[in-house]
Amino acid sequence: MKKNKILIIKYNRYGGRIFMTTFLYIVKIFFLLPRKIKYKVFLISTLLFSNFVYAWGALGHESVCEIAYQELTPSAKQSVDEILSKETDSRFKTFRDACVWPDYIGKAQAQRKPEHYINVPRYWHYIKYENCVDTDRCLFTAIRKDESILRDKKASSQAKLEALKFLGHWLGDIHQPLHVSFKDDRGGNDIALKKGIGCRKKLHAVWDTCIPEDVMKEEGFKVNLDNRESFAKKLHTEITGELRSKWTKNMNPAIWADESFKISLSEDTQYCIKKGKVCWYSSNSEEYYEHAEGSSGIKELILSGKYEDQWGEVVKERIQMGGVRLGALLNDIFQD
């Protein structure tokens, strides 16, 4: 789906050579630097580029995990806090912040990049089983792997810390509709906005960032870092006992993925176009490929503010669902 790109470059026969030459020259200089300076450069680079990655935007992930934290029993909360006490990076000391960690640049995160999504064939209409199609890793295996580590009493504190951060993130990802989608267009990352809304002018970014931020404003908050915790807590207060019971009736990730996939397939989402039994990339092409739409390269949509209004309540509910289900899963893992 969404590729981990720090730079977006129009590669051509000459520009590509220039870029690669420059890149290799920079790498060569880097390795000639003294060790202490190299370390400082690495830290600065990580801080500068750490947010240029995938998933719900930070707002969505933080909200899911804050709601989950509010759902925890005293016993489960104690266990989560104890695991997080081993965190050495001040940016990820709270569970809310820790859930964004998998989107930061690092060796552990890079190794698990393929697990942020579920790719399915364009002729699928629903998801019934936890099945990673044409690959051995996806969100299904990721959730089960980290759940297993947290249940393992012999697992190290470091292993549990990483598993907790990943698991919180995975529950956010599986509730973001375009993380359950098609490989060729990378979950809407190869669908642009010609004009209208769009934080980064791609359909995936609309669902990652634009709509959640619009929901935040509709809930009466200014979109900034200071208000994220309060926003998430407000969403939590709106969850009724009836909704909580409904959402946790079946704790099957395949059901959660199917819910997301059905939203992706909806005609109103404008992600794909149904032709017979297949959901096409565009009216002209079944799948995305370079220059699939002629000189424009990729499919372009025109979306208005009505699109955000139409899907705002759905995104809000997906965030709430993810939080409640994550909380229920952690309560089960850390039960007395």
Side-chain angles (χ1 to χ4, degrees):
M1 249 187 229
K2 190 177 279 189
K3 291 185 178 178
N4 186 8
K5 291 186 178 178
I6 292 176
L7 299 175
I8 299 174
I9 299 162
K10 289 187 176 179
Y11 184 94
N12 59 40
R13 190 167 52 174
Y14 305 106
R17 288 177 184 173
I18 293 169
F19 169 73
M20 285 305 298
T21 301
T22 305
F23 175 76
L24 292 173
Y25 181 71
I26 292 171
V27 170
K28 184 177 181 180
I29 292 174
F30 176 80
F31 280 103
L32 291 174
L33 294 171
R35 182 179 296 180
K36 288 185 178 180
I37 296 178
K38 279 196 289 189
Y39 180 70
K40 289 180 180 180
V41 171
F42 173 77
L43 287 179
I44 292 170
S45 300
T46 301
L47 288 170
L48 286 173
F49 299 120
S50 58
N51 289 321
F52 288 79
V53 271
Y54 17 71
W56 282 120
L59 173 61
H61 278 295
E62 288 184 24
S63 298
V64 167
C65 288
E66 181 60 41
I67 290 169
Y69 191 75
Q70 297 301 320
E71 288 284 304
L72 297 181
T73 62
S75 173
K77 189 171 289 187
Q78 182 179 353
S79 296
V80 167
D81 290 342
E82 184 177 343
I83 292 172
L84 288 171
S85 69
K86 309 299 181 183
E87 177 61 65
T88 58
D89 192 323
S90 60
R91 293 174 297 173
F92 310 117
K93 286 288 189 179
T94 68
F95 186 47
R96 182 183 71 256
D97 292 327
C99 290
V100 184
W101 175 82
D103 274 347
Y104 279 64
I105 295 172
K107 183 178 179 180
Q109 296 95 319
Q111 290 174 340
R112 305 196 66 180
K113 182 181 173 183
E115 297 172 83
H116 286 260
Y117 42 80
I118 299 167
N119 290 324
V120 300
R122 285 188 175 271
Y123 57 82
W124 277 28
H125 302 283
Y126 59 87
I127 294 173
K128 191 174 182 180
Y129 304 106
E130 295 179 40
N131 180 24
C132 298
V133 183
D134 297 329
T135 183
D136 58 352
R137 292 190 297 160
C138 68
L139 271 170
F140 288 138
T141 54
I143 290 170
R144 294 307 186 189
K145 175 181 178 179
D146 292 304
E147 176 189 354
S148 177
I149 292 172
L150 290 173
R151 291 186 186 277
D152 184 0
K153 294 181 180 180
K154 295 181 180 180
S156 68
S157 58
Q158 182 60 34
K160 288 195 172 187
L161 175 60
E162 287 195 3
L164 180 64
K165 292 188 285 189
F166 274 123
L167 186 62
H169 192 88
W170 304 144
L171 266 286
D173 279 349
I174 203 168
H175 284 84
Q176 205 277 49
L178 293 183
H179 274 255
V180 186
S181 51
F182 308 126
K183 181 179 180 179
D184 58 274
D185 63 32
R186 301 181 300 133
N189 276 296
D190 287 312
I191 299 175
L193 269 66
K194 191 171 184 179
K195 58 182 178 180
I197 63 168
C199 305
R200 298 175 188 172
K201 302 188 184 303
K202 296 293 173 65
L203 185 61
H204 194 105
V206 171
W207 286 80
D208 265 357
T209 307
C210 302
I211 300 178
E213 288 183 351
D214 189 62
V215 171
M216 189 175 185
K217 287 184 282 189
E218 288 295 318
E219 292 290 322
F221 296 92
K222 289 185 177 180
V223 180
N224 58 47
L225 291 172
D226 295 334
N227 289 332
R228 286 179 181 174
E229 181 180 359
S230 298
F231 166 66
K233 286 181 176 178
K234 184 174 188 298
L235 293 192
H236 180 252
T237 63
E238 298 174 6
I239 300 168
T240 64
E242 182 180 357
L243 287 174
R244 184 176 289 105
S245 298
K246 178 183 176 182
W247 294 340
T248 57
K249 185 177 181 179
N250 195 323
M251 294 290 287
N252 182 351
I255 290 176
W256 309 340
D258 186 59
E259 293 168 350
S260 286
F261 188 47
K262 282 182 167 55
I263 296 171
S264 294
L265 292 181
S266 169
E267 184 178 351
D268 291 338
T269 304
Q270 299 187 48
Y271 173 55
C272 59
I273 300 172
K274 292 179 182 178
K275 287 192 175 187
K277 295 182 178 181
V278 179
C279 214
W280 284 38
Y281 170 72
S282 68
S283 58
N284 301 317
S285 177
E286 182 175 332
E287 293 187 352
Y288 168 78
Y289 56 88
E290 190 174 4
H291 303 308
E293 296 299 290
S295 59
S296 63
I298 63 176
K299 179 171 74 175
E300 294 179 319
L301 303 177
I302 298 177
L303 303 180
S304 68
K306 291 182 180 179
Y307 188 90
E308 286 182 316
D309 296 338
Q310 177 184 6
W311 290 110
E313 283 300 313
V314 173
V315 166
K316 175 182 172 181
E317 185 177 69
R318 295 304 287 165
I319 290 172
Q320 290 171 318
M321 279 182 174
V324 167
R325 287 166 172 168
L326 174 57
L329 180 56
L330 292 174
N331 283 336
D332 184 65
I333 292 172
F334 299 120
Q335 61 183 312
D336 294 328

